[in-house]
Amino acid sequence: MIHDMGGKYHHGDLHAELVRVSLDLIAEQGVEGFSVAQVAKRANVSAAAPYRHFPDRSSLMSAVAAAAACRLRDLVDKVITEEPDPVTRLASAQGTYTRFFIDTRLGFPVLFADGLANPEYTEMHDQRRAMFDTFLTLSLAVTDGHATALELLEQLNAQSHGYGALYLDGVSPRMGYSADQVVAKSTRAARIVIEAYRTAGQR
């Protein structure tokens, strides 16, 4: 059992607690400047304690990215479960990403943070691949081929992330838009792009 600065954890509990604290810190301040030292302080453990579970910052970030990818995929699955129209499903999934990014800051900068290419981060790679496959399957349902589906998804991802970034950077609020309005805008914009791809593919 670990005792650090008043904290009391079993080894497995501290591992999960460090990931949870990391998620909270990123939601508050973004991934920039995120450090293991900050996480240790917030978790009320010594600066050395996290390194018993994560050898370095990238290792901890890989666990955070795995959790983020899993959460996002679960949210998308809930949104699309009872929606039969493929265009609405994909547009709603993109709006869900915007909402998720606004609420948690756990967007692409976390999912594809520097240092995550290590093949040893198997859980992160598996979760991220499952998340991507969910979006790609939705994109394939409205396009005429794999290459087109990837191109559409790239454009939609840039768009849905951009809407979230504009909100988090304070641009959208200064223009009078709430988070709900920004999510609605992201979803509508995604639908416009999807319909354009479908029309082009039918020519």
Side-chain angles (χ1 to χ4, degrees):
M1 190 174 290
I2 298 172
H3 296 267
D4 284 282
M5 295 171 61
K8 184 177 180 181
Y9 301 99
H10 291 287
H11 283 275
D13 294 337
L14 181 55
H15 185 285
E17 177 68 1
L18 293 170
V19 174
R20 185 196 67 76
V21 169
S22 297
L23 294 169
D24 287 346
L25 279 171
I26 291 172
E28 292 173 14
Q29 62 188 33
V31 71
E32 299 82 2
F34 172 79
S35 69
V36 178
Q38 286 179 305
V39 174
K41 184 176 181 180
R42 177 69 67 92
N44 196 32
V45 298
S46 71
Y51 293 102
R52 299 168 188 167
H53 299 270
F54 302 100
D56 51 33
R57 181 184 185 278
S58 292
S59 178
L60 176 56
M61 186 58 71
S62 77
V64 171
C70 184
R71 284 190 186 185
L72 177 56
R73 183 164 59 91
D74 286 346
L75 288 171
V76 170
D77 284 342
K78 290 177 182 177
V79 166
I80 67 176
T81 295
E82 298 182 3
E83 177 51 62
D85 176 54
V87 172
T88 301
R89 285 161 64 90
L90 180 53
S92 297
Q94 292 298 321
T96 298
Y97 172 84
T98 302
R99 167 63 74 182
F100 179 73
F101 184 35
I102 288 173
D103 288 347
T104 68
R105 296 181 186 261
L106 297 172
F108 295 128
V110 170
L111 294 169
F112 296 92
D114 288 341
L116 298 188
N118 191 327
E120 293 183 2
Y121 301 150
T122 54
E123 175 67 13
M124 185 274 298
H125 289 298
D126 289 345
Q127 292 292 349
R128 199 169 64 181
R129 187 178 303 111
M131 178 207 70
F132 179 77
D133 286 348
T134 295
F135 280 91
L136 181 58
T137 298
L138 294 171
S139 187
L140 284 167
V142 298
T143 54
D144 58 1
H146 194 267
T148 305
L150 287 172
E151 183 181 84
L152 170 59
L153 195 55
E154 182 181 73
Q155 181 169 344
L156 291 174
N157 287 345
Q159 193 167 275
S160 61
H161 183 79
Y163 273 104
L166 285 172
Y167 183 85
L168 291 174
D169 289 344
V171 177
S172 297
R174 285 195 292 273
M175 295 175 69
Y177 296 122
S178 67
D180 288 344
Q181 288 173 313
V182 171
V183 172
K185 284 176 175 290
S186 176
T187 305
R188 285 195 299 271
R191 178 179 288 276
I192 291 169
V193 173
I194 297 164
E195 293 286 9
Y197 268 78
R198 293 193 88 188
T199 300
Q202 293 167 0
R203 290 174 184 169

